[in-house]
Amino acid sequence: MNPEDSALFGQEMKTIQKIIDVVTEFVINYSFQIVGALIILLIGLKLSGWLSRLVLRLCDKRNIDVTLSRFFASSTKILVMMFVIIIAIAKFGISIAPFIAALGAVAFGSSLAIQGPLSNYGSGLTLILTRPFVVGNTITVQDVSGVVEEIRLAATVLTTEDGEELTIPNKLIVGEILRNSFENKIIETSVGISYEDDPEQAIEVLQQVLGQFPEICTDPAPQVGIEAFADSSINIGMRYWVPTKQYFNILYKVNLAIHKALAEADITIPFPQQDIHIKKDAQETAT
């Protein structure tokens, strides 16, 4: 090793030794404070979790909405942990006032950068307090539909019949047209019958079919009636409510049952057809 490398190596070793000395001195001088802070943090973590669960149980006993219950529980946990962290910092004899001032300056400087997330949190708080929908409701917003699984401060989570999970930022919900059909979703469909058939009989058959499915809601009751007089058929319209997560499953079963019931009742489902009348020219007829 040449003299230059040897000198550089010696300088690096001195730097490392200084760092070790500083760390050792800090541990020796503040060992009790470190242990005390860790104990306080562990106790605070346990306490915040216990209080959070306690708030959930109290809200459940008083039949408070699950969305508000979760909000109160999470807020309680965050507040407790904030106080615990302040107490832990105080164990080192450090004043938290400079930290608060620094956080304020950072928040002010980065307000534009975090404008999107902050608007989501503000919108989430609005949804939780105003409660335009709750967990278990079926909502449609921004051309997206699903059952509300969870309402967070930043986003709302929906689930679909296919088991998909949709996460919608809350700022895209507040201020938009929101459709809430609660736990059910409406099926609107129609079937055409021949003009030679009795529409009253067809309506009765369709009502009997819908009554065979216990999943279909009776309040409001299904609606069946003549929807339109088409070119080749009388269209019988149907409107009925089903659980959102069984929407397509029930729709397919009902359609099959309708086809069978109409066939058994000798009611024809016509296909589009046109009658063409050919008229010969008068001169051709004369010759």
Side-chain angles (χ1 to χ4, degrees), residues 206-264:
L206 295 179
Q207 287 175 336
Q208 291 175 356
V209 170
L210 296 179
Q212 295 172 3
F213 290 85
E215 299 92 346
I216 295 178
C217 298
T218 56
D219 185 19
Q223 296 174 323
V224 184
I226 296 177
E227 182 180 89
F229 297 98
D231 294 335
S232 304
S233 64
I234 300 175
N235 293 341
I236 308 297
M238 292 168 287
R239 302 175 77 249
Y240 54 95
W241 295 86
V242 299
T244 302
K245 291 190 175 181
Q246 302 180 50
Y247 181 89
F248 289 104
N249 183 36
I250 297 174
L251 172 63
Y252 298 153
K253 290 181 179 179
V254 169
N255 286 346
L256 179 59
I258 287 173
H259 186 274
K260 291 181 179 179
L262 292 178
E264 292 173 359

Side-chain angles (χ1 to χ4, degrees), residues 17-27:
Q17 186 62 43
K18 286 181 180 179
I19 295 174
I20 294 174
D21 293 339
V22 170
V23 172
T24 304
E25 183 180 358
F26 178 82
V27 172

Side-chain angles (χ1 to χ4, degrees), residues 41 44-45 48 76-86:
L41 288 175
L45 188 61
S48 63
T76 301
K77 188 172 184 178
I78 292 172
L79 287 173
V80 171
M81 286 305 301
M82 287 177 60
F83 282 114
V84 167
I85 292 173
I86 290 173

